[in-house]
Amino acid sequence: MAHGGDGGSGRKGDERTENEDEDDEEDEENGGRDLEAWERAYADERSWEDLQEDESGLLRPIDTKTIAHAQYRRRLLQRSVHGTSRIQKGLIRYLYVVIDLSRAASETDYHPSRMSVVAKCAGTFIREFFDQNPLSHVGLVTIKDGVSQCLTELGGCPDSQIKALMGKLECSGDASLQNALDLVHGYLSQVPSYGHREVLILYSALNTCDPGDIMETIKHCKKAKIRCSIVGLSAEIYICKHLCEETGGLYAVALDESHFKELLLEYAPPPPAIAEYAIANLIKMGFPQRGAEGAISICSCHREAKIGGGHTCPRCKARVCELPLECRICGLTLVSSPHLARSYHHLFPVTPFNEVSHTLPIRLQQKLPQNCFGCQQSLISHGMLFFFHMFCIWYVHVLSNVYISV
Amino acid sequence: MNQLNQVVLIATGINTCGYIYDSGDGGPEGSDNVSEISSEILRRLEEFVCKDRKIGKGTERAMGGSLSSLLSGSLSLALCYVQKVFRSGAIHPQPRILCLQASPDGPEQYVAVMNAIFSAQRSMVPIDSCVVGVQHSAFLQQASYITGGIYLKPPQLDGLFQYLAAVFATDLHSRNFLQLPKPAGVDFRASCFCHKKTIDMGYVCSVCLSIFCQHHRKCSTCGSEFNQAPREPNSASETIRKA
């Protein structure tokens, strides 16, 4: 009995230690998989390396703003060098955003999953898109289980698109590039001829499962003058590159979350227009007046009585709530002059300027003013402050082309 | 109404604009004495007006016509200052801009003023307007509407201080609880490029967004030819809706 008990307890002890060993081993093996996302930030990404000490010994993160701003200015300079003559831009755009919801989108290399990062960045992109292109339309399409479906139709208002993105999205199945392109081709061929037709595909998968010949589809898209651009999340794929080259779009692959957002936001400003793609046309538009404060009328968008505010269509006198919109009764495009004015900075770009180095000889320094004309801050001393005033000068230049006598 | 608040005065002339006063700059003795500060401000304003007139003498401007002040320039200066405050300070201020204007709008500044307005909207800086001139200012009406500020043309100029103190001196949070002057009929109609008259229905060039009141063969701004007959865009949009 005692033996058995001892043996039993001994065995149990052994088992326990064995279990503990196993657990330890499992922990070590599953170390990567079982860690929470916040733990991974320390284990894998070494977030403490992002901190720096400033002069007084206090911690502050690496100033990425200056680096980002330097990159932005470099890009701006490149653009202006390549296009000192004004390039015609496609201002009236009809864009479909295709989101890949195949099983590759449930990967967790982007926190918490590729699909949620894509949905969030797409929401930001749509707001920025309507900010830069108020007269354009956006629609959403998803690819799931090898089939593509239209999530929202082409619309001029960001709210319905963002509401659809925030809803429940599930990933499963394969991705099919051909089906997405066929669907988008069908919708975009109904768009008026003066509009620029574009597709932006956010592709997570590494393959495409197509029912037919995708090269034929690409030829159809090229013939229909649709400009396809792709932002990949996994790796560069030949068929995506071929599609973008054939249709005149851009292909980029994101390295991480912030790079993905940066790449996506590059598609917001209007791209240079390919001349044959859109026919110049005069579009009939209405400029409605804002209604009187106390007037009661039934609005055509919500179909309920509203008091005050709102705009009246000049052709059919229907009341609409917000602009820009297409009147539901008579189909006239209704805009207000600030919407057109928003696009003027694409038509009149900033003239390039030269940076003045802060390490100037003393005699020149004495001739220059001591304070920044824009914000009255002192220009003398370290390069950081001088960088501010580059921003000031650039800012003022952009706003009003004021001549600064420096 | 707070000791920590900061005020910056920018003067707008016909040809130039410049900083007049900055309360954050206050010297050791100047911070409490209001009369000293006001006499200093008046002196600087007079200097500014003389300088502006001198600069204006060189160029020939339309004499006798209504001259407009450089609203776009001073809005840009104000926005630069706001950006500087946002970038340098650790505290989060809620800046706003008050425009006190008497001169009429200059149509040549339209694009610049609209750019300034969109920039202010993006940085969430409301632009309040107090028009003390004879006529309403369409630019300032649009500015206040788009950025969420207050537009006011005081009916009695004798009580200007009262309007300023009661309406414009309030901070952004308290504005939700006050009955402030409501915007009455902001005119968003555009003017056509050919006759400069305001229209409520017109034709827009799809390439350069110039507005015309009648159908033309060729766009006068960008030179694009419109060789197609005016096909009604309604049929295309209806098919999209049905699909």
Side-chain angles (χ1 to χ4, degrees), chain B residues 4-16:
Chain B
L4 292 174
N5 284 350
Q6 204 177 341
V7 170
V8 176
L9 268 182
I10 300 176
T12 317
I14 298 174
N15 303 298
T16 53

Side-chain angles (χ1 to χ4, degrees), chain B residues 64-115:
Chain B
S66 45
L67 289 171
S68 57
S69 58
L70 214 57
L71 177 65
S72 53
S74 45
L75 275 180
S76 320
L77 281 184
L79 285 167
C80 276
Y81 194 91
V82 165
Q83 285 295 323
K84 178 197 93 168
V85 169
F86 277 154
R87 279 164 183 256
S88 60
I91 41 169
H92 288 282
Q94 281 185 324
R96 54 189 196 272
I97 300 177
L98 170 63
C99 294
L100 207 58
Q101 173 143 325
S103 41
D105 294 330
E108 68 276 1
Q109 294 179 52
Y110 178 66
V111 177
V113 170
M114 294 310 287
N115 280 339

Side-chain angles (χ1 to χ4, degrees), chain A residues 22-79:
Chain A
E22 277 175 17
D23 281 339
D24 284 338
E25 280 175 25
E26 274 177 17
D27 272 337
E28 280 169 19
E29 280 172 3
N30 299 355
R33 264 176 281 150
D34 277 336
L35 283 180
E36 303 287 330
W38 61 269
E39 286 171 324
R40 257 179 263 153
Y42 299 118
D44 298 338
E45 290 155 32
R46 298 202 274 187
S47 52
W48 60 86
E49 287 183 359
D50 285 338
L51 296 176
Q52 261 187 351
E53 268 190 36
D54 65 5
E55 308 86 53
S56 44
L58 298 168
L59 287 176
R60 62 171 176 148
I62 290 181
D63 199 3
T64 46
K65 274 191 244 171
T66 36
I67 305 169
H69 194 71
Q71 279 175 348
Y72 180 77
R73 278 216 59 234
R74 245 178 281 133
R75 253 181 285 139
L76 220 60
L77 209 61
Q78 276 176 350
R79 267 186 227 159

Side-chain angles (χ1 to χ4, degrees), chain B residues 15-36:
Chain B
N15 303 298
T16 53
C17 35
Y19 284 89
I20 298 289
Y21 170 69
D22 181 353
S23 70
D25 260 358
E29 67 317 305
S31 29
D32 291 338
N33 199 333
V34 178
S35 54
E36 268 187 30

Side-chain angles (χ1 to χ4, degrees), chain A residues 67-136:
Chain A
I67 305 169
H69 194 71
Q71 279 175 348
Y72 180 77
R73 278 216 59 234
R74 245 178 281 133
R75 253 181 285 139
L76 220 60
L77 209 61
Q78 276 176 350
R79 267 186 227 159
S80 60
V81 159
H82 287 312
T84 37
S85 58
R86 292 199 203 130
I87 300 181
Q88 184 180 327
K89 304 239 170 97
L91 293 171
I92 303 185
R93 303 161 74 183
Y94 290 86
L95 172 76
Y96 263 106
V97 179
V98 177
I99 301 180
D100 176 8
L101 292 179
S102 62
R103 80 175 83 86
S106 55
E107 297 267 327
T108 54
D109 55 351
Y110 286 49
H111 305 151
S113 72
R114 283 186 186 172
M115 171 187 69
S116 42
V117 167
V118 164
K120 198 174 81 178
C121 292
T124 322
F125 167 74
I126 288 177
R127 282 207 193 279
E128 180 70 23
F129 181 83
F130 279 110
D131 200 42
Q132 303 259 2
N133 309 278
L135 302 171
S136 307

